[in-house]
C-alpha cells in the first residue's frame, strides 16, 4: 500500500497550545493514594509523594493537570483537605463509593504539581456547593489580600498565592449520575453567576463551562446552546468529554473512533459559532477537551469491587497496542483541530485509565499509551502545517470511509524541524509513505508496533515500546503502527 503526503513549511494553519497535551488526576481509586502519593513507599519524598512516579511525569513534561475531579469534585469540600493533616475528616466519597482520607488536598497537590513542572487546572464543586465556595476557593488560591481565605492559605504555610489560571465550572453537570446533576437551564444560570463572582475575585482567571459529557447524551446540542447563550460573556472555553473502547471486539471499527472525536469537535465548534453570530460579538469561545481516553477494559471487574474502601483499584485498564494506536489517532485529531481546541486532558495520569501504573509499595511502569502521549508532548510543539494526504480508505459494517493512514505535521518554529505523526490502521499491510516535503529530509523514524495487537506492558516486561527505524530507503509505516518521523531542511 502507498500513501502520498505533501508538507510545506510555509503553509501554517495554527499554533498548537501546549495545554493540548494536559492530563488529569482525580481523587478516585489509586490515582492519588498509591499512585502519586504513598508515604510508606521506599521512593517517597519528605511530603509522601513517590519520586519514581514523579520522575515519569517529568519525563512526559505534562503542562497542565486537571484536579481534583471528575465526578469526585461534585461532592467535595475543599476545606477538608487543608490544614493540620491529623485533624482532617475522613469522608464517605459518594461519587466512587469509597473512603476519602483527605491526606492530600489542594495545598499538597499544588506543591507537588509545581515540583513536576505542571500547572493545576482547578475544578470547583457545582454539585453540592455553588458560587460562594467557588469564590472562597479562588481567594484561597489566588488572592494577595489581607482577607480571610488568603490568610487561611498563609496560615497553612503558603505565603505566596498559587496563581491558578484555569478553572472548571463543575464537572459533567449534564449527566444524571453526577452528584447535583442539573438541567441545562439550571446549570447555565449557576455557571453564569459563579463565573461572574469568581472573576470579581480574580479577573485574570480563565473559565471552562461544562459542555456534554458525551456526544451521545440526549441533551447534546441543546445543552451547549443553552449554556453558551447564558454564559457567553463570562466564560472562555466550553468542555467536551469522551471515552472510547473496543466493546464489540471489532478492531477495524475501533481504530476509526478518532473520526467520531473529529465530528464531535466540529459539531461543538459549529454551535459556538452559531451563538457567536447570534450575539454579534467578536469574542470566540474555544474548546477544552478535558477528559478523553480509552476506557472499557476495567468496566466489568469494577463491578466486583466492594464499596467504602480507601483507594480501591478502580478503572485500572491495562492497555494494548490497539489502544495505543487509538490514543495516537486521537492525539493527531486534537492537533488537527488546534485552531479550536486549546486545552485537552488525557484522563487520567496514574493508575486510573492511565499511561503510568504502579504497584502499592512496589514498581512503576509505562503502559502502551504512554508512548504516543510522550512523543506528542516532545515533538508536537509549534505550528500545525497544512498537509495533503492521499491514501486508501476502508469500511466496516458500522463505519464508512476510514482512511488507512491518520497523520499530521508540526513545525517547531525554534528549530525549524518538522515532525510527522502517523498511524497505519491497516492490520496487515505495510504502507510506503511517498513524501513531497519541499526540500526537507527525514532524519529519524520512531515506530511503535508489535506482532500481537493485543500485546500489553506490565511491571515484569515491556512488549510495546518505540524503536528507531532506518530512513535510508524511504519511510515505511508497518502494519498497525504509530510513527514519528522527523525532518530537517536539506
Ligand atoms: O475519568 C473518570 C470519570 O469519567 C470522571 O470522574 C468523570 O468526569 C467521567 O465520567
Amino acid at each position: 500500500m502507498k500513501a502520498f503526503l505533501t508538507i510545506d513549511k510555509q503553509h501554517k494553519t495554527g499554533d498548537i497550545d501546549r495545554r493540548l497535551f494536559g492530563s488529569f488526576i482525580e481523587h478516585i481509586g489509586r490515582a492519588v493514594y498509591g499512585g502519586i502519593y504513598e508515604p510508606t513507599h521506599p521512593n517517597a519524598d519528605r511530603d509522601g509523594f513517590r519520586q519514581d512516579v514523579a520522575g515519569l511525569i517529568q519525563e512526559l513534561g505534562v503542562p497542565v493537570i486537571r484536579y481534583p475531579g471528575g465526578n469526585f469534585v461534585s461532592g467535595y469540600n475543599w476545606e477538608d483537605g487543608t490544614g493540620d493533616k491529623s485533624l482532617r475528616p475522613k469522608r464517605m466519597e459518594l461519587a466512587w463509593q469509597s473512603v476519602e482520607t483527605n491526606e492530600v488536598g489542594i495545598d499538597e497537590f499544588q506543591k507537588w504539581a509545581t515540583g513536576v513542572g505542571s500547572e493545576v487546572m482547578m475544578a470547583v464543586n457545582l454539585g453540592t456547593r455553588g458560587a460562594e465556595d467557588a469564590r472562597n476557593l479562588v481567594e484561597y488560591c489566588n488572592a494577595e489580600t489581607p482577607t480571610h481565605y488568603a490568610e487561611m492559605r498563609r496560615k497553612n504555610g503558603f505565603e505566596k498565592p498559587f496563581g491558578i489560571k484555569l478553572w472548571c465550572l463543575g464537572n459533567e453537570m449534564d449527566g444524571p449520575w453526577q452528584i447535583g446533576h442539573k438541567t441545562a437551564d439550571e446549570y447555565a444560570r449557576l455557571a453564569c453567576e459563579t463565573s461572574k463572582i469568581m472573576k470579581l475575585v480574580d479577573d485574570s482567571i480563565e473559565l471552562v463551562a461544562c459542555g456534554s459529557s458525551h456526544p451521545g447524551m440526549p441533551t447534546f446540542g441543546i445543552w451547549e446552546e443553552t449554556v453558551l447563550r447564558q454564559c457567553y460573556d463570562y466564560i472562555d472555553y466550553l468542555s467536551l468529554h469522551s471515552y472510547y473502547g473496543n466493546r464489540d471486539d471489532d478492531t477495524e471499527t475501533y481504530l476509526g473512533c478518532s473520526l467520531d472525536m473529529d465530528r464531535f469537535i466540529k459539531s461543538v465548534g459549529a454551535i459556538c459559532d452559531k451563538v457567536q453570530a447570534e450575539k454579534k460579538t467578536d469574542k470566540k469561545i474555544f474548546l477544552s477537551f478535558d477528559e478523553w481516553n480509552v476506557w472499557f477494559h476495567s468496566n466489568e471487574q469494577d463491578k466486583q469491587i466492594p464499596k467504602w474502601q480507601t483507594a480501591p483499584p478502580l478503572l485500572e485498564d491495562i492497555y494494548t497496542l490497539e489502544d495505543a494506536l487509538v490514543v495516537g489517532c486521537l492525539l493527531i485529531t486534537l492537533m488537527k483541530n488546534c485552531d479550536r481546541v486549546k486545552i485537552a486532558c488525557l484522563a487520567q495520569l496514574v493508575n486510573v485509565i492511565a499511561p503510568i501504573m504502579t504497584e502499592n509499595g512496589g514498581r512503576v511502569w509505562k503502559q502502551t499509551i504512554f508512548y504516543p502521549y510522550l512523543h506528542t508532548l516532545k515533538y508536537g510543539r509549534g505550528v500545525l502545517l497544512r498537509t495533503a494526504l492521499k491514501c486508501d480508505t476502508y469500511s466496516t459494517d458500522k463505519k464508512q470511509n476510514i482512511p488507512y493512514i491518520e497523520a499530521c505535521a508540526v513545525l517547531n518554529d525554534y528549530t525549524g524541524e518538522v515532525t510527522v505523526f502517523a498511524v497505519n490502521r491497516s492490520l496487515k499491510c505495510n504502507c510506503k509513505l511517498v513524501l513531497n516535503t519541499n526540500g526537507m529530509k527525514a532524519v529519524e523514524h520512531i515506530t511503535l508496533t508489535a506482532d500481537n495487537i493485543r500485546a500489553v506492558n506490565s511491571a515484569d516486561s515491556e512488549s510495546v515500546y518505540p524503536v528507531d527505524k532506518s530512513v535510508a530507503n524511504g519511510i515505511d509505516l508497518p502494519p498497525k503502527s504509530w510513527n514519528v518521523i522527523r525532518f530537517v531542511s536539506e
Side-chain angles (χ1 to χ4, degrees), residues 294-315:
V294 169
W295 175 14
F296 73 108
H297 295 285
S298 59
N299 292 166
E300 285 308 308
Q301 75 209 32
D302 281 358
K303 293 183 187 151
Q304 310 307 320
I305 294 180
K307 293 178 179 182
W308 312 123
Q309 296 186 80
T310 302
L314 286 167
L315 278 67

Side-chain angles (χ1 to χ4, degrees), residues 340-359:
R340 193 90 217 199
V341 186
K342 299 295 170 189
I343 304 157
C345 303
L346 173 68
Q348 301 191 10
L349 190 52
V350 183
N351 287 333
V352 172
I353 41 174
I356 298 171
M357 292 298 290
T358 71
E359 294 169 329

Side-chain angles (χ1 to χ4, degrees), residues 24 26 28 66 69-72 96 171-172 177-178 213 241 243 291 295 315 347-348 352-353:
F24 174 32
E26 176 172 5
I28 167 184
R66 186 165 173 257
N71 296 339
F72 169 82
W96 301 104
N171 176 70
E172 296 189 348
W177 60 86
Q178 200 66 212
S213 35
H241 289 184
Y243 291 97
E291 281 188 39
W295 175 14
L315 278 67
Q348 301 191 10
V352 172
I353 41 174

